[in-house]
Amino acid sequence: MTLALERRGWAVMLLALLAALAGPAGYAIAQEEAEAPAATEEAVEAPAEEEAVAEEPVEEEATTEEAPEEEAVDLGIGYAFDNAVLFFCAVLVFFMQAGFAMVEAGFNSSKNAVNIMFKNAMDICVGVLLFFAVGFGLMYPLGYENNAEAAEHLDTAPGFFSFGNLGLSGYSSGFSVEVDWLFQAVFAATAATIVSGAVAGRMKVSGYLIYSAILTGLVYPVSGFWKWGGGWLTRFGDYDSTANEFAMAFQDFAGSAVVHGLGGFAGLAGAIVLGPRIGRFVETKSIPMPGHNIPLAGLGVFILWFGWYGFNPGSQLAFTSTDDINATMHCAITTTLAAGAGGIVATVLSWLMFGKPDLSMGLNGILAGLVSITACCDCMTDWWSIVVGAIGGVLVIFGIIMLDKLKIDDPVGAWPVHGLCGIWGCLAIGIIPNDYLRDGATSFAIQATGALSICAWGFGTMFILFSVLKAVGLLRVSPEEEQQGLDISEHGMAAYTH
Amino acid sequence: MTLALERRGWAVMLLALLAALAGPAGYAIAQEEAEAPAATEEAVEAPAEEEAVAEEPVEEEATTEEAPEEEAVDLGIGYAFDNAVLFFCAVLVFFMQAGFAMVEAGFNSSKNAVNIMFKNAMDICVGVLLFFAVGFGLMYPLGYENNAEAAEHLDTAPGFFSFGNLGLSGYSSGFSVEVDWLFQAVFAATAATIVSGAVAGRMKVSGYLIYSAILTGLVYPVSGFWKWGGGWLTRFGDYDSTANEFAMAFQDFAGSAVVHGLGGFAGLAGAIVLGPRIGRFVETKSIPMPGHNIPLAGLGVFILWFGWYGFNPGSQLAFTSTDDINATMHCAITTTLAAGAGGIVATVLSWLMFGKPDLSMGLNGILAGLVSITACCDCMTDWWSIVVGAIGGVLVIFGIIMLDKLKIDDPVGAWPVHGLCGIWGCLAIGIIPNDYLRDGATSFAIQATGALSICAWGFGTMFILFSVLKAVGLLRVSPEEEQQGLDISEHGMAAYTH
Amino acid sequence: MTLALERRGWAVMLLALLAALAGPAGYAIAQEEAEAPAATEEAVEAPAEEEAVAEEPVEEEATTEEAPEEEAVDLGIGYAFDNAVLFFCAVLVFFMQAGFAMVEAGFNSSKNAVNIMFKNAMDICVGVLLFFAVGFGLMYPLGYENNAEAAEHLDTAPGFFSFGNLGLSGYSSGFSVEVDWLFQAVFAATAATIVSGAVAGRMKVSGYLIYSAILTGLVYPVSGFWKWGGGWLTRFGDYDSTANEFAMAFQDFAGSAVVHGLGGFAGLAGAIVLGPRIGRFVETKSIPMPGHNIPLAGLGVFILWFGWYGFNPGSQLAFTSTDDINATMHCAITTTLAAGAGGIVATVLSWLMFGKPDLSMGLNGILAGLVSITACCDCMTDWWSIVVGAIGGVLVIFGIIMLDKLKIDDPVGAWPVHGLCGIWGCLAIGIIPNDYLRDGATSFAIQATGALSICAWGFGTMFILFSVLKAVGLLRVSPEEEQQGLDISEHGMAAYTH
């Protein structure tokens, strides 16, 4: 009864969160109503056009609030094209949520499969709302098109919760702020969902939802701002006052560290604070807990690879010019080759080490290759991308073995795949020949600084959060509940019946 | 033996259906041959070009029949772009078929999984053929680009089975009639497949195929014509003879009512006429029949959300102008936020009501948010889209409870998700501030009229059809077959073996 | 112990393969370093621009090596558009790998599911690396834009391993060579993965990896060159020295024979040399071995159909002109209708023949329709595409029955679907009225020659390879291992636990 009450308590908290969204909504509505007369005025000026709007509303209607400003301007086919390509890339990245869910569900016990689907479904639901209300404004306080300008005006930034403002105040990107938001939101959700795998099988639902909200709404946007919002990781070397820019910057094209490293290290913090699942390490022995549905896990890896074609090539953000589209296609090929190399090398290594080709290792090797190339898919040559992916495939195996030795229980290998290879992808830019190095746009020290500081931020904040959750009894289910499985204990339903 | 004969009988009927398609095919072939000399003539005039065609046919060949007319005109990159975006959106919508199949299979018993896959696979096969031969011409008798013109010439329309004519006779859309057909066809198949979930576990295959053919070929196109083909739901208020248009119209951007409401209410009719599965309601008690594979159901919801990015943004239909592409991106963001809000609210509500967060409710809440925003993804602000989705999340829970109280057995909640939220999405346009209301392009009364008349049409026609099927013994399997499972009794195979 | 050693041996071989890739990589790196001074020089000439590159590298960077050549030219929005559409089509084709994996896993025993996922994951990993290092250069020795020129210069071609050269030496396509490679690479991987299904349940992992490497790196590119690289199958009829082209050519738009026929017949060779699974044919009786997870197989078919929208429409390769985009959309509609017709006809036939509608047959019928229309999706009218797909649906049933009679064990029907219907799709162009026939660009004899020679090449080379593998003991696992299942014997893990 008390337990049920406590659970209801958390539901109320979630509801409060949603209510908190209503405040800005009210503001937005008030604003909208204040603007309405202006719109009417304009209608008087152009009655014929207004008429047309009334009759063919589908064709003429744009986003309600911005219509007055944008009506007169047509930015041409290039603008439409950039939007459309970024949109389809965002949609591919969205689908990675399904991939993560399948990989995690497949590689864990059937008694936790409902819980895993729940976490992954709620990740994206909570994530998009919080990244809308808070995260996006926090990450791009002045829009990110002109990083230097952002840097200059940081003191006068309109505040963190400025999504609405961003849309209205001269945001001059090559694409709609809305598709930009969508692309960024699914990245944030990716960072959040990575953690899910590392804490599988023993974490309370309420604690998980709190973690997920804080990561998507606060932690990810802050470190994301450091790099993609024009923060300190973009301001190394000399400052050129004419161009209003810095000579050097931490390079992380699509987020090996910004997204994957952060998620991987947040997951590591969770795995450490939670402790291993019961029975995972008995005395000095490590006892593998095999996944319950390997075909699902394999499907998940295929879905992730598929979605990665949105993640990496889409991060080019502009697609119209020949240079841009060529660069986008280059990202596609390096992503492909690194995934292939990572998969083969991890398979071969597992074969050499354990005597049989291990599918789990092969699948994790593919993901390792993908994570590794994420930072540098733009600047590595095709041949070097194979090397980057292959080294990722080595690292993931040693990461898994290392965690095993340290008795840290990361059920799906979230840290070896996303944390370790996330760092490697960034360091590679400081080691392997590429144009950034050649042009002096970065250095090994800057790459190391960037990657490590983002991962440390993820690990540190999340270690504190998970410790607090532990202190207040919201982190880990009871041993009885764990052994029964979270599906029954947390959700009251089984994943499989007949 | 008699049973086998009866079964063979239905196969023969299906074959006859296919043979019926051969009639128009013969006509088309005859036409084609009649046109061939003209093509040869033209070849004489331009031998050099003809030569090139012969050698590089892949590059130069367009659709065979229309080549002579179109050869000279290039409509520019905007035309190509609109086609390509609509094509990829259609492909995303197509994939929703897999999502529906997974949700239905996962949420039902394993003994009916083969039958569910069969129904979903045949839905799209039968659907595309019938929508090609009959439905498309029925829904857009004169093309839908100019609704008013369609309205004017309705008496002289070239007949219902006019797909071929449509392509040849001055159809002047911003995109190829073929991609338009594809986009519309997968919408029709969506309407059909929604019903599958509501009648799961007890319906005969032969009856289902008849239903599916009639819904895709006749019922959906008729009500679709009312709104999207220029029918009576687009003709409210004053008629402006200059612009040849009516001042007001029922608004349903991507089909909350036209597609989902129709499907949901058709499903309700099926669930009522069929009666509940054996053991679902025992005396005064409702006995839940849990799904056999929740990860599959979760995957299905992810696939549906993914596909919805084609369904809603794609319904903008034009993408080249800045206003159009901005509107498209706006649909993407409202769709995302409504899905998230629906998922969270349904989860929270289930948590409050049942003491544990129910994954089935959460997943249905996501779908409820998606269905709700479908009608109004174009006209709601981002903030209001959260409200629309959240209310959808409330409605789906109460819809499920209501069906339970009424002892109506809808195994996957097709009516609460698609029927109830389908109506809500349309009503929201009459309630929540938006440009249609502000401009007087619609009213609550018109929205209610439109949504209810489409749903009543779906419910009424299908109630009659299912009743007829019942009367002739084609509706429900025997109790023995039901308890054995439809996989063995209807298909002679099991979904799972070892 | 010896066994483990042998296994390690094969891992070493794989490693050697990867090392072999390092040779050209070293060359590429050396080349790159040699070019670096030039790049620096250029930087001196344009310091302002270089500065901008340093600060906004994401926007300005193109593929590292080619940047100097391409910097000055912008090919316009048409170029960007063609690239983007081909890219998204390639991504859809990539996802077909997941579809093949699901179909094969679902239609086979659970004791081989890990092995099946392994083969499918490694297919694409090995495939992309080998097609990069060897296959692409082999298939398009001079680029394929101008087939006649390729034909002329065949003697002076820069050699088979010319991917790098291809990119640098005046390759003048309408799109980036990198997206072109991606599109071709996923086609090669498709050919390879088809075989996987035919040899399921009894083949050694090491033998399979050797086969997969040879097919993707050598066998597929050779026959691919015959048709798509400007080889002998494009050079029939009179030679026009002015246009530098031949009057007639074997027509196979998206690869009914080039991809599917080759894969299907290679699979047939494997099935014959391996022999049937234990217990599949006992004395004179054929004993069906049902699949272990039909919903997964159904999901796989939906994924394949979804991916086919990249396979067929994408093969248009150019999308900007009105003729091209109309042709692309035409491919989409014919693909859809053929799939539907194939699915219905196979279902109806199975219903008539066996008394119940067989889902496996229906699903294979859909695939049969898709394979059949692949060669001729561009040239068939909508109505004729229904006929093409329907005949595919008949052929697949008779193919399955025929293999059964011949006691050839092809567990997923790879040959009936891909081999038989692959030939049919090509022959249809020689039989059913279409513009190629009308214009004299091909004939039944040429179509038969092309389809049969490609299939014979696939069957012949693979029969030899599988026979060699058999002779050296690398082909088939022991009866004990087979009965235990390949998951445990080859990979040491089970697909399902609880």
Side-chain angles (χ1 to χ4, degrees):
Chain A
M1 201 54 201
T2 327
L3 191 68
L5 262 176
E6 184 221 22
R7 272 174 179 137
R8 280 196 180 85
W10 288 109
V12 170
M13 228 184 87
L14 254 182
L15 210 55
L17 167 74
L18 212 77
L21 293 176
Y27 173 73
I29 293 155
Q31 240 192 347
E32 191 187 333
E33 277 164 4
E35 279 175 27
T40 315
E41 244 173 277
E42 206 170 64
V44 173
E45 282 163 40
E49 195 183 337
E50 189 61 29
E51 197 77 40
V53 171
E55 283 156 12
E56 291 270 327
V58 167
E59 299 284 300
E60 296 295 323
E61 282 290 328
T63 55
T64 318
E65 292 157 313
E66 290 139 50
E69 282 95 333
E70 294 182 15
E71 218 153 34
V73 190
D74 195 291
L75 304 171
I77 182 79
Y79 175 82
F81 178 70
D82 277 349
N83 271 283
V85 174
L86 193 61
F87 165 67
F88 286 117
C89 286
V91 171
L92 286 173
V93 177
F94 167 82
F95 198 44
M96 291 173 68
Q97 296 288 323
F100 280 111
M102 293 297 103
V103 168
E104 186 183 348
F107 277 148
N108 276 282
S109 165
S110 64
K111 70 184 177 184
N112 298 318
V114 167
N115 177 253
I116 287 166
M117 296 310 295
F118 180 85
K119 290 190 302 180
N120 279 275
M122 285 303 116
D123 265 344
I124 180 82
C125 288
V126 171
V128 294
L129 290 181
L130 277 168
F131 196 75
F132 176 75
V134 183
F136 190 66
L138 195 58
M139 189 158 165
Y140 301 108
L142 269 181
Y144 61 87
E145 213 31 26
N146 192 331
N147 289 349
E149 199 191 322
E152 221 176 27
H153 293 79
L154 262 181
D155 301 329
T156 59
F160 283 160
F161 308 79
S162 58
F163 179 73
N165 288 339
L166 203 60
L168 294 167
S169 66
Y171 178 93
S172 64
S173 167
F175 36 75
S176 149
V177 67
E178 299 200 302
V179 72
D180 185 25
W181 175 84
L182 185 65
F183 193 70
Q184 304 297 341
V186 288
F187 271 59
T190 300
T193 207
I194 288 167
V195 177
S196 180
V199 302
R202 56 218 197 268
M203 188 164 173
K204 283 190 179 175
V205 161
S206 47
Y208 185 81
L209 289 174
I210 293 168
Y211 139 76
S212 178
I214 290 174
L215 188 101
T216 338
L218 295 173
V219 172
Y220 170 79
V222 166
S223 53
F225 162 74
W226 294 352
K227 164 63 190 152
W228 289 337
W232 69 278
L233 287 176
T234 64
R235 290 180 273 159
F236 292 99
D238 297 329
Y239 176 70
D240 176 354
S241 60
T242 320
N244 202 11
E245 286 176 323
F246 289 84
M248 302 179 91
F250 167 61
Q251 305 296 342
D252 185 1
F253 185 72
S256 277
V258 177
V259 180
H260 296 278
L262 185 89
F265 274 86
L268 181 65
I272 291 174
V273 178
L274 272 165
R277 287 166 293 173
I278 297 168
R280 179 69 181 79
F281 298 106
V282 175
E283 293 170 30
T284 52
K285 281 181 72 179
S286 162
I287 294 156
M289 301 176 86
H292 85 283
N293 194 328
I294 305 303
L296 270 200
L299 174 64
V301 170
F302 278 117
I303 291 176
L304 286 170
W305 189 341
F306 175 63
W308 231 287
Y309 287 114
F311 206 93
N312 285 4
S315 292
Q316 180 70 15
L317 298 178
F319 313 98
T320 304
S321 78
T322 297
D323 280 355
D324 279 331
I325 197 74
N326 280 344
T328 308
M329 297 304 113
H330 183 64
C331 294
I333 201 176
T334 52
T335 299
T336 306
L337 294 173
I344 291 177
V345 167
T347 299
V348 166
L349 261 188
S350 76
W351 209 335
L352 289 172
M353 292 171 69
F354 316 128
K356 290 191 179 185
D358 186 311
L359 176 61
S360 319
M361 295 298 178
L363 294 176
N364 271 324
I366 289 172
L367 299 181
L370 289 165
V371 171
S372 302
I373 201 66
T374 295
C376 52
C377 59
D378 62 326
C379 67
M380 291 295 158
T381 63
D382 297 338
W383 290 107
W384 276 121
S385 70
I386 296 175
V387 175
V388 169
I391 294 176
V394 175
L395 287 174
V396 75
I397 301 259
F398 284 100
I400 288 170
I401 293 172
M402 205 180 95
L403 288 186
D404 217 51
K405 291 258 152 79
L406 294 172
K407 298 206 192 314
I408 297 171
D409 181 20
D410 175 358
V412 300
W415 178 77
V417 169
H418 301 277
L420 199 56
C421 293
I423 288 184
W424 157 238
C426 294
L427 294 185
I429 300 174
I431 298 169
I432 294 175
N434 67 80
D435 278 6
Y436 293 122
L437 268 190
R438 222 172 274 128
D439 299 342
T442 190
S443 69
F444 181 79
I446 293 177
Q447 291 304 110
T449 304
L452 295 178
S453 55
I454 289 171
C455 292
W457 164 254
F459 184 82
T461 52
M462 286 297 114
F463 194 92
I464 294 169
L465 175 67
F466 285 122
S467 300
V468 169
L469 289 175
K470 190 177 188 177
V472 298
L474 278 172
L475 192 66
R476 188 160 176 158
V477 298
S478 72
E480 295 74 34
E481 289 173 321
E482 185 179 336
Q483 271 167 332
Q484 186 185 24
L486 301 185
D487 291 1
I488 297 297
S489 69
E490 292 284 280
H491 304 279
M493 68 191 289
Y496 301 97
T497 61
H498 290 286
Chain B
M1 201 53 202
T2 326
L3 193 65
L5 261 175
E6 182 219 22
R7 273 176 181 132
R8 283 198 179 82
W10 289 108
V12 171
M13 226 182 92
L14 257 181
L15 210 57
L17 168 72
L18 213 78
L21 293 176
Y27 173 72
I29 294 156
Q31 239 189 347
E32 192 185 332
E33 277 164 4
E35 280 175 26
T40 315
E41 241 173 280
E42 205 170 63
V44 173
E45 282 164 39
E49 196 182 335
E50 189 60 29
E51 196 77 41
V53 169
E55 281 153 15
E56 291 272 325
V58 167
E59 299 285 300
E60 297 293 323
E61 282 291 329
T63 54
T64 319
E65 293 156 311
E66 290 137 50
E69 282 94 333
E70 294 181 15
E71 217 154 32
V73 190
D74 194 292
L75 304 171
I77 181 79
Y79 175 81
F81 178 71
D82 277 349
N83 271 283
V85 174
L86 194 60
F87 166 65
F88 286 117
C89 286
V91 171
L92 286 173
V93 177
F94 167 81
F95 198 44
M96 291 174 68
Q97 296 288 324
F100 280 110
M102 292 297 103
V103 168
E104 187 184 350
F107 278 150
N108 277 285
S109 165
S110 63
K111 70 184 177 185
N112 297 318
V114 167
N115 177 253
I116 287 166
M117 296 310 296
F118 180 86
K119 288 190 304 178
N120 280 275
M122 285 303 116
D123 265 344
I124 181 81
C125 289
V126 170
V128 295
L129 290 182
L130 276 169
F131 197 73
F132 175 77
V134 183
F136 191 66
L138 195 58
M139 189 158 165
Y140 302 110
L142 267 180
Y144 61 87
E145 216 27 31
N146 193 330
N147 288 348
E149 198 192 321
E152 220 175 26
H153 292 81
L154 262 180
D155 301 329
T156 58
F160 284 161
F161 307 79
S162 57
F163 180 74
N165 288 340
L166 204 58
L168 293 167
S169 65
Y171 179 93
S172 63
S173 168
F175 35 78
S176 148
V177 66
E178 299 199 302
V179 72
D180 184 25
W181 175 83
L182 184 65
F183 193 70
Q184 305 297 341
V186 287
F187 270 60
T190 300
T193 205
I194 288 167
V195 177
S196 178
V199 301
R202 57 217 194 270
M203 189 164 171
K204 283 189 180 175
V205 161
S206 47
Y208 185 81
L209 290 174
I210 293 169
Y211 138 76
S212 178
I214 290 174
L215 188 101
T216 339
L218 295 173
V219 173
Y220 169 80
V222 166
S223 53
F225 162 75
W226 294 353
K227 163 64 190 150
W228 288 338
W232 69 277
L233 288 175
T234 63
R235 290 181 271 159
F236 291 100
D238 298 330
Y239 176 68
D240 176 354
S241 60
T242 320
N244 204 10
E245 285 174 323
F246 289 84
M248 303 179 90
F250 167 61
Q251 304 296 341
D252 185 1
F253 184 72
S256 277
V258 177
V259 180
H260 296 278
L262 186 88
F265 274 86
L268 180 65
I272 291 173
V273 178
L274 272 165
R277 287 166 292 174
I278 297 168
R280 178 67 181 81
F281 298 105
V282 175
E283 290 171 32
T284 54
K285 284 180 73 178
S286 161
I287 294 156
M289 301 176 88
H292 86 283
N293 194 329
I294 305 303
L296 269 201
L299 173 65
V301 170
F302 278 117
I303 291 175
L304 285 170
W305 189 340
F306 174 64
W308 233 288
Y309 287 114
F311 205 94
N312 285 4
S315 291
Q316 181 68 16
L317 298 179
F319 312 98
T320 303
S321 79
T322 297
D323 280 355
D324 279 330
I325 196 75
N326 280 344
T328 309
M329 297 304 113
H330 184 64
C331 295
I333 201 176
T334 52
T335 299
T336 306
L337 294 172
I344 292 177
V345 166
T347 300
V348 166
L349 262 188
S350 76
W351 208 335
L352 290 171
M353 293 169 68
F354 316 128
K356 291 191 178 184
D358 186 311
L359 176 60
S360 319
M361 296 298 178
L363 294 176
N364 270 325
I366 290 172
L367 299 181
L370 289 165
V371 171
S372 302
I373 202 65
T374 295
C376 53
C377 58
D378 62 326
C379 67
M380 291 294 158
T381 65
D382 297 337
W383 290 108
W384 277 121
S385 70
I386 296 175
V387 176
V388 169
I391 293 176
V394 175
L395 287 174
V396 75
I397 301 259
F398 284 100
I400 289 170
I401 293 172
M402 205 181 95
L403 288 186
D404 216 51
K405 290 261 153 82
L406 294 171
K407 299 206 191 314
I408 296 170
D409 182 19
D410 175 357
V412 301
W415 178 77
V417 169
H418 301 276
L420 200 53
C421 293
I423 288 185
W424 156 239
C426 295
L427 293 185
I429 300 174
I431 299 170
I432 294 175
N434 67 77
D435 278 7
Y436 293 123
L437 267 190
R438 224 173 272 128
D439 299 342
T442 190
S443 69
F444 180 79
I446 292 177
Q447 291 304 108
T449 305
L452 295 178
S453 55
I454 289 171
C455 293
W457 166 253
F459 184 83
T461 51
M462 285 297 115
F463 194 92
I464 294 169
L465 174 66
F466 287 121
S467 300
V468 170
L469 290 175
K470 191 177 187 175
V472 298
L474 278 172
L475 192 66
R476 189 162 177 157
V477 298
S478 73
E480 295 73 38
E481 289 173 321
E482 184 178 340
Q483 271 166 332
Q484 185 185 23
L486 302 185
D487 292 1
I488 297 298
S489 69
E490 291 284 281
H491 303 280
M493 67 190 289
Y496 301 98
T497 61
H498 291 285
Chain C
M1 200 56 201
T2 327
L3 192 66
L5 262 174
E6 182 221 24
R7 272 174 181 135
R8 281 197 181 83
W10 288 108
V12 170
M13 227 184 89
L14 255 182
L15 210 57
L17 168 74
L18 213 75
L21 293 176
Y27 173 73
I29 294 156
Q31 237 192 350
E32 191 186 335
E33 277 162 6
E35 280 175 26
T40 316
E41 241 173 281
E42 203 169 65
V44 174
E45 283 164 37
E49 196 184 335
E50 189 61 27
E51 197 77 43
V53 169
E55 283 155 13
E56 292 270 327
V58 167
E59 298 285 301
E60 296 294 323
E61 283 289 329
T63 54
T64 319
E65 294 158 310
E66 291 140 50
E69 282 95 332
E70 295 183 15
E71 218 153 33
V73 190
D74 194 292
L75 304 171
I77 182 79
Y79 175 81
F81 178 72
D82 277 348
N83 272 283
V85 174
L86 193 60
F87 166 67
F88 286 118
C89 287
V91 170
L92 286 173
V93 177
F94 167 82
F95 199 44
M96 290 172 68
Q97 296 287 324
F100 281 111
M102 292 299 103
V103 169
E104 187 184 349
F107 278 148
N108 277 284
S109 164
S110 63
K111 70 184 178 184
N112 298 318
V114 167
N115 178 254
I116 286 165
M117 296 310 295
F118 180 86
K119 289 189 303 178
N120 280 274
M122 286 304 116
D123 264 344
I124 180 82
C125 289
V126 170
V128 294
L129 290 181
L130 277 168
F131 196 73
F132 175 75
V134 183
F136 190 66
L138 195 57
M139 188 158 165
Y140 301 110
L142 268 180
Y144 60 86
E145 214 30 27
N146 193 331
N147 288 348
E149 199 190 319
E152 222 175 26
H153 293 80
L154 262 180
D155 300 330
T156 60
F160 284 161
F161 307 78
S162 58
F163 180 73
N165 288 340
L166 202 59
L168 293 167
S169 64
Y171 177 93
S172 65
S173 168
F175 36 78
S176 148
V177 66
E178 300 200 301
V179 72
D180 185 25
W181 176 83
L182 184 65
F183 193 70
Q184 304 298 340
V186 288
F187 270 60
T190 300
T193 206
I194 288 167
V195 177
S196 179
V199 301
R202 57 216 195 269
M203 188 166 173
K204 283 190 179 176
V205 162
S206 47
Y208 185 80
L209 289 174
I210 292 168
Y211 138 76
S212 178
I214 289 173
L215 188 101
T216 339
L218 294 174
V219 173
Y220 170 79
V222 166
S223 52
F225 162 75
W226 295 352
K227 163 65 189 150
W228 289 337
W232 69 277
L233 288 176
T234 63
R235 292 182 269 160
F236 291 100
D238 297 329
Y239 176 68
D240 176 354
S241 60
T242 320
N244 202 10
E245 284 175 324
F246 288 84
M248 302 178 92
F250 167 60
Q251 305 296 341
D252 184 1
F253 185 71
S256 277
V258 177
V259 180
H260 295 278
L262 186 88
F265 274 86
L268 181 65
I272 290 173
V273 178
L274 272 165
R277 287 166 294 173
I278 297 169
R280 178 70 181 81
F281 297 104
V282 176
E283 291 171 32
T284 52
K285 282 181 72 178
S286 161
I287 295 156
M289 301 175 88
H292 85 282
N293 194 328
I294 304 304
L296 270 200
L299 174 64
V301 171
F302 278 118
I303 292 175
L304 286 170
W305 189 341
F306 174 63
W308 232 288
Y309 287 115
F311 205 94
N312 284 4
S315 292
Q316 181 70 17
L317 297 177
F319 312 99
T320 303
S321 78
T322 296
D323 280 354
D324 280 330
I325 197 76
N326 280 345
T328 309
M329 298 305 113
H330 183 64
C331 294
I333 203 175
T334 51
T335 300
T336 306
L337 294 172
I344 291 177
V345 166
T347 299
V348 166
L349 262 189
S350 76
W351 208 335
L352 290 172
M353 293 170 68
F354 316 127
K356 290 191 180 186
D358 186 311
L359 176 60
S360 320
M361 295 300 178
L363 295 176
N364 271 326
I366 290 172
L367 299 181
L370 289 165
V371 170
S372 302
I373 201 66
T374 295
C376 53
C377 59
D378 61 327
C379 66
M380 290 294 156
T381 65
D382 298 337
W383 290 109
W384 278 121
S385 70
I386 296 175
V387 176
V388 169
I391 293 176
V394 175
L395 287 174
V396 75
I397 301 260
F398 284 99
I400 289 171
I401 293 171
M402 205 181 96
L403 287 185
D404 217 52
K405 291 259 154 81
L406 294 171
K407 298 206 192 314
I408 296 171
D409 182 19
D410 174 357
V412 300
W415 178 77
V417 169
H418 301 276
L420 199 54
C421 292
I423 289 184
W424 157 238
C426 294
L427 292 187
I429 301 174
I431 299 170
I432 294 175
N434 67 78
D435 278 7
Y436 293 123
L437 267 190
R438 223 171 275 126
D439 299 343
T442 190
S443 68
F444 181 79
I446 293 178
Q447 291 304 110
T449 304
L452 295 178
S453 55
I454 290 172
C455 293
W457 165 253
F459 184 82
T461 51
M462 286 296 115
F463 194 91
I464 294 169
L465 174 67
F466 286 121
S467 301
V468 169
L469 290 174
K470 191 176 187 177
V472 297
L474 278 171
L475 192 67
R476 188 162 176 158
V477 298
S478 73
E480 296 74 34
E481 289 172 322
E482 184 179 339
Q483 270 166 332
Q484 185 184 24
L486 301 184
D487 292 1
I488 297 297
S489 69
E490 291 284 281
H491 303 279
M493 68 191 287
Y496 301 98
T497 60
H498 291 287

